[in-house]
PDB file of all heavy atoms in Angstrom:
ATOM      1  N   SER A 122     150.775 -14.102 241.575  1.00  0.00           N
ATOM      2  CA  SER A 122     152.043 -14.571 242.136  1.00  0.00           C
ATOM      3  C   SER A 122     153.123 -13.530 241.870  1.00  0.00           C
ATOM      4  O   SER A 122     153.053 -12.778 240.900  1.00  0.00           O
ATOM      5  CB  SER A 122     152.435 -15.887 241.481  1.00  0.00           C
ATOM      6  OG  SER A 122     153.769 -16.202 241.800  1.00  0.00           O
ATOM      7  N   TRP A 123     154.126 -13.491 242.735  1.00  0.00           N
ATOM      8  CA  TRP A 123     155.279 -12.605 242.514  1.00  0.00           C
ATOM      9  C   TRP A 123     156.250 -13.226 241.505  1.00  0.00           C
ATOM     10  O   TRP A 123     157.250 -12.615 241.154  1.00  0.00           O
ATOM     11  CB  TRP A 123     156.013 -12.361 243.831  1.00  0.00           C
ATOM     12  CG  TRP A 123     155.231 -11.534 244.799  1.00  0.00           C
ATOM     13  CD1 TRP A 123     154.359 -11.983 245.747  1.00  0.00           C
ATOM     14  CD2 TRP A 123     155.230 -10.101 244.909  1.00  0.00           C
ATOM     15  NE1 TRP A 123     153.829 -10.927 246.446  1.00  0.00           N
ATOM     16  CE2 TRP A 123     154.348  -9.765 245.957  1.00  0.00           C
ATOM     17  CE3 TRP A 123     155.898  -9.078 244.230  1.00  0.00           C
ATOM     18  CZ2 TRP A 123     154.108  -8.442 246.332  1.00  0.00           C
ATOM     19  CZ3 TRP A 123     155.658  -7.766 244.612  1.00  0.00           C
ATOM     20  CH2 TRP A 123     154.767  -7.459 245.645  1.00  0.00           C
ATOM     21  N   GLY A 124     156.010 -14.444 241.133  1.00  0.00           N
ATOM     22  CA  GLY A 124     156.901 -15.096 240.159  1.00  0.00           C
ATOM     23  C   GLY A 124     158.142 -15.695 240.792  1.00  0.00           C
ATOM     24  O   GLY A 124     159.074 -16.073 240.099  1.00  0.00           O
ATOM     25  N   ALA A 125     158.177 -15.775 242.125  1.00  0.00           N
ATOM     26  CA  ALA A 125     159.272 -16.458 242.833  1.00  0.00           C
ATOM     27  C   ALA A 125     158.699 -17.804 243.268  1.00  0.00           C
ATOM     28  O   ALA A 125     158.275 -17.982 244.404  1.00  0.00           O
ATOM     29  CB  ALA A 125     159.719 -15.631 244.033  1.00  0.00           C
ATOM     30  N   PHE A 126     158.699 -18.732 242.320  1.00  0.00           N
ATOM     31  CA  PHE A 126     157.847 -19.907 242.484  1.00  0.00           C
ATOM     32  C   PHE A 126     158.282 -20.887 243.562  1.00  0.00           C
ATOM     33  O   PHE A 126     157.475 -21.648 244.055  1.00  0.00           O
ATOM     34  CB  PHE A 126     157.697 -20.649 241.146  1.00  0.00           C
ATOM     35  CG  PHE A 126     156.910 -19.878 240.140  1.00  0.00           C
ATOM     36  CD1 PHE A 126     157.393 -19.683 238.866  1.00  0.00           C
ATOM     37  CD2 PHE A 126     155.666 -19.353 240.481  1.00  0.00           C
ATOM     38  CE1 PHE A 126     156.664 -18.964 237.935  1.00  0.00           C
ATOM     39  CE2 PHE A 126     154.935 -18.633 239.558  1.00  0.00           C
ATOM     40  CZ  PHE A 126     155.431 -18.437 238.280  1.00  0.00           C
ATOM     41  N   TRP A 127     159.588 -20.860 243.907  1.00  0.00           N
ATOM     42  CA  TRP A 127     160.011 -21.835 244.922  1.00  0.00           C
ATOM     43  C   TRP A 127     159.403 -21.505 246.284  1.00  0.00           C
ATOM     44  O   TRP A 127     159.388 -22.328 247.186  1.00  0.00           O
ATOM     45  CB  TRP A 127     161.542 -21.893 244.992  1.00  0.00           C
ATOM     46  CG  TRP A 127     162.143 -20.729 245.712  1.00  0.00           C
ATOM     47  CD1 TRP A 127     162.509 -20.678 247.025  1.00  0.00           C
ATOM     48  CD2 TRP A 127     162.430 -19.431 245.172  1.00  0.00           C
ATOM     49  NE1 TRP A 127     163.000 -19.431 247.323  1.00  0.00           N
ATOM     50  CE2 TRP A 127     162.968 -18.660 246.208  1.00  0.00           C
ATOM     51  CE3 TRP A 127     162.291 -18.846 243.906  1.00  0.00           C
ATOM     52  CZ2 TRP A 127     163.357 -17.330 246.024  1.00  0.00           C
ATOM     53  CZ3 TRP A 127     162.670 -17.538 243.723  1.00  0.00           C
ATOM     54  CH2 TRP A 127     163.193 -16.800 244.771  1.00  0.00           C
ATOM     55  N   LEU A 128     158.920 -20.259 246.432  1.00  0.00           N
ATOM     56  CA  LEU A 128     158.308 -19.860 247.708  1.00  0.00           C
ATOM     57  C   LEU A 128     156.823 -20.220 247.772  1.00  0.00           C
ATOM     58  O   LEU A 128     156.203 -20.158 248.830  1.00  0.00           O
ATOM     59  CB  LEU A 128     158.446 -18.347 247.908  1.00  0.00           C
ATOM     60  CG  LEU A 128     159.862 -17.801 248.098  1.00  0.00           C
ATOM     61  CD1 LEU A 128     159.839 -16.281 248.087  1.00  0.00           C
ATOM     62  CD2 LEU A 128     160.449 -18.304 249.415  1.00  0.00           C
ATOM     63  N   GLU A 129     156.253 -20.553 246.639  1.00  0.00           N
ATOM     64  CA  GLU A 129     154.813 -20.802 246.602  1.00  0.00           C
ATOM     65  C   GLU A 129     154.453 -22.072 247.360  1.00  0.00           C
ATOM     66  O   GLU A 129     155.218 -23.040 247.301  1.00  0.00           O
ATOM     67  CB  GLU A 129     154.327 -20.907 245.159  1.00  0.00           C
ATOM     68  CG  GLU A 129     154.479 -19.645 244.347  1.00  0.00           C
ATOM     69  CD  GLU A 129     153.618 -18.482 244.821  1.00  0.00           C
ATOM     70  OE1 GLU A 129     152.841 -18.643 245.789  1.00  0.00           O
ATOM     71  OE2 GLU A 129     153.742 -17.412 244.229  1.00  0.00           O
ATOM     72  N   PRO A 130     153.293 -22.111 247.998  1.00  0.00           N
ATOM     73  CA  PRO A 130     152.354 -20.988 248.140  1.00  0.00           C
ATOM     74  C   PRO A 130     152.880 -19.950 249.142  1.00  0.00           C
ATOM     75  O   PRO A 130     153.134 -20.291 250.297  1.00  0.00           O
ATOM     76  CB  PRO A 130     151.098 -21.654 248.686  1.00  0.00           C
ATOM     77  CG  PRO A 130     151.414 -23.097 248.917  1.00  0.00           C
ATOM     78  CD  PRO A 130     152.827 -23.354 248.609  1.00  0.00           C
ATOM     79  N   PHE A 131     153.028 -18.733 248.667  1.00  0.00           N
ATOM     80  CA  PHE A 131     153.574 -17.645 249.495  1.00  0.00           C
ATOM     81  C   PHE A 131     152.422 -16.822 250.049  1.00  0.00           C
ATOM     82  O   PHE A 131     151.737 -16.115 249.317  1.00  0.00           O
ATOM     83  CB  PHE A 131     154.516 -16.785 248.652  1.00  0.00           C
ATOM     84  CG  PHE A 131     155.280 -15.768 249.445  1.00  0.00           C
ATOM     85  CD1 PHE A 131     156.269 -16.164 250.345  1.00  0.00           C
ATOM     86  CD2 PHE A 131     155.007 -14.421 249.307  1.00  0.00           C
ATOM     87  CE1 PHE A 131     156.985 -15.222 251.085  1.00  0.00           C
ATOM     88  CE2 PHE A 131     155.712 -13.478 250.039  1.00  0.00           C
ATOM     89  CZ  PHE A 131     156.701 -13.877 250.933  1.00  0.00           C
ATOM     90  N   VAL A 132     152.220 -16.937 251.353  1.00  0.00           N
ATOM     91  CA  VAL A 132     151.088 -16.256 251.998  1.00  0.00           C
ATOM     92  C   VAL A 132     151.607 -14.989 252.665  1.00  0.00           C
ATOM     93  O   VAL A 132     152.642 -15.004 253.333  1.00  0.00           O
ATOM     94  CB  VAL A 132     150.432 -17.186 253.043  1.00  0.00           C
ATOM     95  CG1 VAL A 132     149.279 -16.484 253.749  1.00  0.00           C
ATOM     96  CG2 VAL A 132     149.946 -18.471 252.367  1.00  0.00           C
ATOM     97  N   GLU A 133     150.890 -13.883 252.458  1.00  0.00           N
ATOM     98  CA  GLU A 133     151.323 -12.620 253.053  1.00  0.00           C
ATOM     99  C   GLU A 133     150.230 -12.043 253.944  1.00  0.00           C
ATOM    100  O   GLU A 133     149.042 -12.254 253.688  1.00  0.00           O
ATOM    101  CB  GLU A 133     151.631 -11.593 251.958  1.00  0.00           C
ATOM    102  CG  GLU A 133     152.818 -11.954 251.099  1.00  0.00           C
ATOM    103  CD  GLU A 133     152.886 -11.075 249.860  1.00  0.00           C
ATOM    104  OE1 GLU A 133     152.144 -11.366 248.898  1.00  0.00           O
ATOM    105  OE2 GLU A 133     153.633 -10.107 249.878  1.00  0.00           O
ATOM    106  N   ILE A 134     150.662 -11.301 254.958  1.00  0.00           N
ATOM    107  CA  ILE A 134     149.705 -10.585 255.807  1.00  0.00           C
ATOM    108  C   ILE A 134     150.073  -9.107 255.800  1.00  0.00           C
ATOM    109  O   ILE A 134     151.245  -8.747 255.956  1.00  0.00           O
ATOM    110  CB  ILE A 134     149.721 -11.132 257.255  1.00  0.00           C
ATOM    111  CG1 ILE A 134     149.243 -12.592 257.279  1.00  0.00           C
ATOM    112  CG2 ILE A 134     148.822 -10.276 258.149  1.00  0.00           C
ATOM    113  CD1 ILE A 134     149.208 -13.212 258.652  1.00  0.00           C
ATOM    114  N   GLU A 135     149.058  -8.275 255.588  1.00  0.00           N
ATOM    115  CA  GLU A 135     149.282  -6.834 255.632  1.00  0.00           C
ATOM    116  C   GLU A 135     148.573  -6.284 256.857  1.00  0.00           C
ATOM    117  O   GLU A 135     147.359  -6.433 257.004  1.00  0.00           O
ATOM    118  CB  GLU A 135     148.739  -6.178 254.359  1.00  0.00           C
ATOM    119  CG  GLU A 135     149.113  -4.713 254.241  1.00  0.00           C
ATOM    120  CD  GLU A 135     148.628  -4.103 252.913  1.00  0.00           C
ATOM    121  OE1 GLU A 135     148.480  -4.851 251.925  1.00  0.00           O
ATOM    122  OE2 GLU A 135     148.384  -2.898 252.911  1.00  0.00           O
ATOM    123  N   LYS A 136     149.368  -5.678 257.738  1.00  0.00           N
ATOM    124  CA  LYS A 136     148.844  -5.224 259.013  1.00  0.00           C
ATOM    125  C   LYS A 136     149.613  -3.978 259.405  1.00  0.00           C
ATOM    126  O   LYS A 136     150.844  -3.957 259.268  1.00  0.00           O
ATOM    127  CB  LYS A 136     149.081  -6.342 260.043  1.00  0.00           C
ATOM    128  CG  LYS A 136     148.233  -6.284 261.274  1.00  0.00           C
ATOM    129  CD  LYS A 136     148.531  -7.515 262.109  1.00  0.00           C
ATOM    130  CE  LYS A 136     148.602  -7.149 263.572  1.00  0.00           C
ATOM    131  NZ  LYS A 136     149.097  -8.240 264.394  1.00  0.00           N
ATOM    132  N   ASP A 137     148.945  -2.957 259.857  1.00  0.00           N
ATOM    133  CA  ASP A 137     149.583  -1.682 260.242  1.00  0.00           C
ATOM    134  C   ASP A 137     150.518  -1.181 259.141  1.00  0.00           C
ATOM    135  O   ASP A 137     151.616  -0.685 259.423  1.00  0.00           O
ATOM    136  CB  ASP A 137     150.399  -1.842 261.541  1.00  0.00           C
ATOM    137  CG  ASP A 137     149.596  -2.507 262.641  1.00  0.00           C
ATOM    138  OD1 ASP A 137     148.373  -2.257 262.696  1.00  0.00           O
ATOM    139  OD2 ASP A 137     150.180  -3.296 263.416  1.00  0.00           O
ATOM    140  N   GLY A 138     150.125  -1.332 257.900  1.00  0.00           N
ATOM    141  CA  GLY A 138     150.940  -0.831 256.796  1.00  0.00           C
ATOM    142  C   GLY A 138     152.144  -1.700 256.463  1.00  0.00           C
ATOM    143  O   GLY A 138     152.934  -1.376 255.581  1.00  0.00           O
TER     144      GLY A 138
END
Side-chain angles (χ1 to χ4, degrees):
Chain A
S122 168
W123 291 90
F126 292 130
W127 76 96
L128 294 172
E129 296 294 358
F131 188 69
V132 178
E133 294 167 280
I134 296 181
E135 188 177 333
K136 200 176 139 189
D137 310 325

